[in-house]
Structures are given as structure tokens and as C-alpha cells.
Amino acid sequence: MFNQKSFKGNHETGTLYLVPTPIGNLEDMSYRSVRLLQEADLIASEDTRNTQKLLNHFDIHTPQKSLHEHNFKERIPQFMEELKKGRSIAQVSDAGMPSISDPGHELVVACIQENIPVVSIPGPTAGMTALIASGLLPQPFLFYGFLGRKKKEQHSILEELKDQTATLIFYESPYRISATLTNMLAVLGNRQVVLCRELTKIHEEYLRGNIEELLAYIEKQPVKGECCLLVEGKTGKDETSQVIEGSLKEQVEQLIALGEKTNVAIKAVAVKNGLKKQEVYRQFHELD
């Protein structure tokens, strides 16, 4: 049943403020966010060392306590005690919005359960920033965040997402972007993608094209900096996402027949079958 008191919050307690921080450019910090960090009794930070740099820049002297994936079970009861005493807490992640691929969700849930007000402050977030400048359909979209690191895990997740017509938004490390794109090529087909890196920073860059083109570019010029990857939703034209069967040689030949370049097809078949690219190359060229 809807609880009106719970919706309005219990004003005898303190308030949890969810404060976004810049994803690169300090000028994106809002006046309201600075004020709340100054006025809060305590700041819950993903990494106190990173947040201290931000606080120093804006001459903020509010004390901090860490809150991250390794200590949230210990910290949440401590923060809840402070909030129940009427003290306000501002929660921040290292960059962007708390809870979006960052710590924060567990404390929010704990506050809601105890009828403690939670106030979200609008501000920087990499996924939305990248989406509206990508050129891909801005809505509907599906924000996924970080994919798993293992090939089989990525394949499983991408199989679940391949029929989505919404633009897909992922975060990825520059060290894993090539492997992730290769897995996407094997499961989703050669879709249009946009790779956004170093958002709001001096070397901000948008790389646009299909997966095959982007893989070829990265092979010659590896990317640096944290990446936001946007993938076109299913349009009905993704012929390369159909089931590829037969021997390794036959699988490569089927992808080539669908328009893939030989080296990309070999790499995709290797990923699909959990093999090294050299093994697929050997069988395709029938080398002893």
C-alpha cells in the first residue's frame, strides 16, 4: 500500500543527498552541489583521496568517510546512526552519479526502509552525455553499464540483449574494448556503434562507424581513457547475427559471404568458439 509519510520523508532525521561530481571537467560542478557538500555534516565518498582533490578545488572542508563495495556492510549502519541523529550526509562517487556503475544503491535502500529522506541532485553522467551526441537514436535506450569480463559471460549477456531495439549503452575499459567489440560482432552482427572516450576532457573524442570499422581503427590506433560505448539497437538488418554453424572453416566462410572481411570473420569465429585466433586461421587456410 502507498505510504504518504514514507513518500514525504521523516524530517526529524537528517537527509541523504546524492551529489554528482564531474566526469572530467571541474566546471561541470553545479552551484547547488558545491553548496550541499559545504553544508553537509559528512561526505560519504567512494574514494576519499579522489574526493579530497575536488574538495580542495572548491575550498570545502566537510569531513569524509569512505563508502565502497568492500566496506558498505560495515559503513551503512554507521551512516544510518548519523542520519537518525539529524545529521545530513552527502554521498559522492569518484565521477558522475552515485549508484550508476558506482557505489550508492545500498545506502539509498537502507534510508528508504527507515523513512529517511533521500534527495537526488541532477548532474553529470557519462551515459546520457554520450547518448545525446552519438547520433544514434536517443530513445528508447537501455543503459547496461559494465559487461562481465569473461568471454562466455559477455556472450550470454549479449544474447539476451540482441533483440533489443533500444540503443544500448555500455561502459568499458580501453584495455578490454577490442575484445568486447569482437564479442559484439559475433553475437550482434556488424551494427553501428559510437565509442566515446575522455568525455568533457581536453582529448574528448567520438569514434563513429560499424563494429568492423571500429575494430580496424583500434588495431592501428589503440584508444586511451575510460570509454562509453553505444550500440545501435536491432533494426531487422543484422544478418550477421543469425546462427553460424558447421566447421570452423565453414563458419568463417558464412561470415565472409555476409560481407565480413576475412580477418574479422576469423576473429569472430574464434571468440564464438572460445578458441585462439591462430587456430581458426590455421583451419580456415587448411594449414598443417
Side-chain angles (χ1 to χ4, degrees), residues 95-230:
M97 300 288 288
S99 297
I100 303 298
S101 293
D102 279 319
H105 178 67
E106 292 84 3
L107 182 55
V108 171
V109 172
C111 286
I112 292 172
Q113 291 175 343
E114 294 292 333
N115 198 30
I116 292 173
V118 178
V119 176
S120 177
I121 313 305
T125 177
M128 296 300 96
T129 302
L131 176 64
I132 60 174
S134 68
L136 298 179
L137 288 176
Q139 58 189 48
F141 67 86
L142 188 155
F143 174 81
Y144 189 88
F146 286 96
L147 284 166
R149 297 187 179 188
K150 297 181 179 179
K151 293 179 182 178
K152 289 184 179 179
E153 187 178 358
Q154 285 200 357
H155 270 246
S156 177
I157 294 168
L158 292 170
E159 284 288 349
E160 294 178 2
L161 296 174
K162 72 178 183 180
D163 290 328
Q164 287 281 347
T165 57
T167 298
L168 306 175
I169 305 175
F170 302 93
Y171 291 160
E172 190 53 277
S173 160
Y175 305 107
R176 296 191 298 271
I177 190 67
S178 181
T180 295
L181 284 167
T182 301
N183 290 339
M184 288 180 171
L185 179 62
V187 178
L188 304 178
N190 196 25
R191 297 190 186 184
Q192 292 296 307
V193 291
V194 180
L195 179 62
C196 316
R197 67 176 198 87
E198 296 289 85
L199 286 171
T200 78
K201 301 177 184 177
I202 294 175
H203 300 294
E204 175 177 293
E205 184 177 34
Y206 287 79
L207 301 173
R208 300 176 175 89
N210 58 43
I211 296 178
E212 181 182 324
E213 291 168 338
L214 190 52
L215 277 169
Y217 177 86
I218 292 175
E219 189 171 343
K220 296 178 181 178
Q221 188 172 336
V223 297
K224 298 179 180 179
E226 291 302 312
C227 301
C228 183
L229 178 64
L230 297 99

Side-chain angles (χ1 to χ4, degrees), residues 11-12 21 32 43 45 52 63 80 82 118 130 160 162 176 191 197 207 212 215 252 265 282-283:
H11 297 291
E12 296 177 358
T21 55
R32 186 183 180 195
I43 298 174
S45 307
Q52 191 60 53
M80 295 301 292
E82 295 296 322
V118 178
E160 294 178 2
K162 72 178 183 180
R176 296 191 298 271
R191 297 190 186 184
R197 67 176 198 87
L207 301 173
E212 181 182 324
L215 277 169
V252 174
R282 186 185 65 80
Q283 293 200 33

Side-chain angles (χ1 to χ4, degrees), residues 16-28:
L16 174 65
Y17 294 97
L18 306 176
V19 181
T21 55
I23 59 177
N25 192 324
L26 290 177
E27 293 180 1
D28 292 334

